[in-house]
């Protein structure tokens, strides 16, 4: 089972979007930055999807500080393609930030890519 934590301004909306996909083997939990960082570091969660209004700083600020930049990526206001997401997952990125208004495009793409790796 892969556990995805959500946080930031749109944490409930992201959780709902992932849950709505009905991806087998994926559990989604609404969290906050600090609890998510601790859970990821302890191996109690696998990924974090964070949102803020710009998709840059506030979506991942605490997580970058506690997890390190090597584990984190912010898309900002850009909508990533499947190839970019795959490359980031291949690099070991587990923490992703994006803009709240990109939620409908980014969330399903990320969640499906994560689920495909765990099935």
């Amino acid at each position: 089972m892969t556990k995805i934590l959500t946080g930031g301004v749109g944490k409930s909306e992201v959780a709902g979007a992932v849950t709505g996909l009905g991806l087998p083997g994926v559990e989604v939990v609404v969290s906050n930055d600090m609890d998510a960082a601790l859970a990821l570091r302890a191996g109690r969660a696998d990924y974090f999807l964070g949102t803020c209004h710009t998709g840059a700083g506030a979506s991942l600020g605490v997580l970058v500080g506690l997890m390190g930049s090597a584990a984190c990526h912010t898309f900002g206001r850009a909508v990533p393609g499947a190839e970019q997401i795959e490359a980031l997952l291949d690099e070991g990125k587990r923490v992703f930030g994006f803009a709240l208004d990109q939620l409908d495009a980014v969330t399903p793409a990320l969640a499906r890519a994560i689920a495909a790796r765990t099935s």
Side-chain angles (χ1 to χ4, degrees), residues 60-117:
L60 299 181
V62 170
L63 286 121
V64 170
L66 294 175
M67 298 288 298
S69 61
C72 304
H73 180 79
T74 57
F75 294 110
R77 301 193 48 74
V79 175
E83 290 177 4
Q84 181 183 9
I85 291 171
E86 290 298 326
L88 291 166
L89 291 171
D90 287 344
E91 291 172 19
K93 304 291 185 189
R94 301 179 341 152
V95 176
F96 297 94
F98 48 96
L100 184 60
D101 64 352
Q102 304 299 335
L103 184 150
D104 291 336
V106 177
T107 302
L110 272 170
R112 286 186 178 116
I114 290 167
R117 289 177 175 254

Side-chain angles (χ1 to χ4, degrees), residues 13-82:
E13 292 87 346
V14 172
V18 174
T19 301
L21 295 172
L23 301 169
V26 174
E27 176 186 4
V28 184
V29 176
V30 174
S31 187
N32 63 58
D33 296 358
M34 184 60 79
D35 290 344
L38 296 174
L40 287 162
R41 287 178 61 165
R44 294 189 316 267
D46 302 294
Y47 294 93
F48 177 83
L49 307 182
T51 53
C52 69
H53 293 289
T54 65
S59 62
L60 299 181
V62 170
L63 286 121
V64 170
L66 294 175
M67 298 288 298
S69 61
C72 304
H73 180 79
T74 57
F75 294 110
R77 301 193 48 74
V79 175

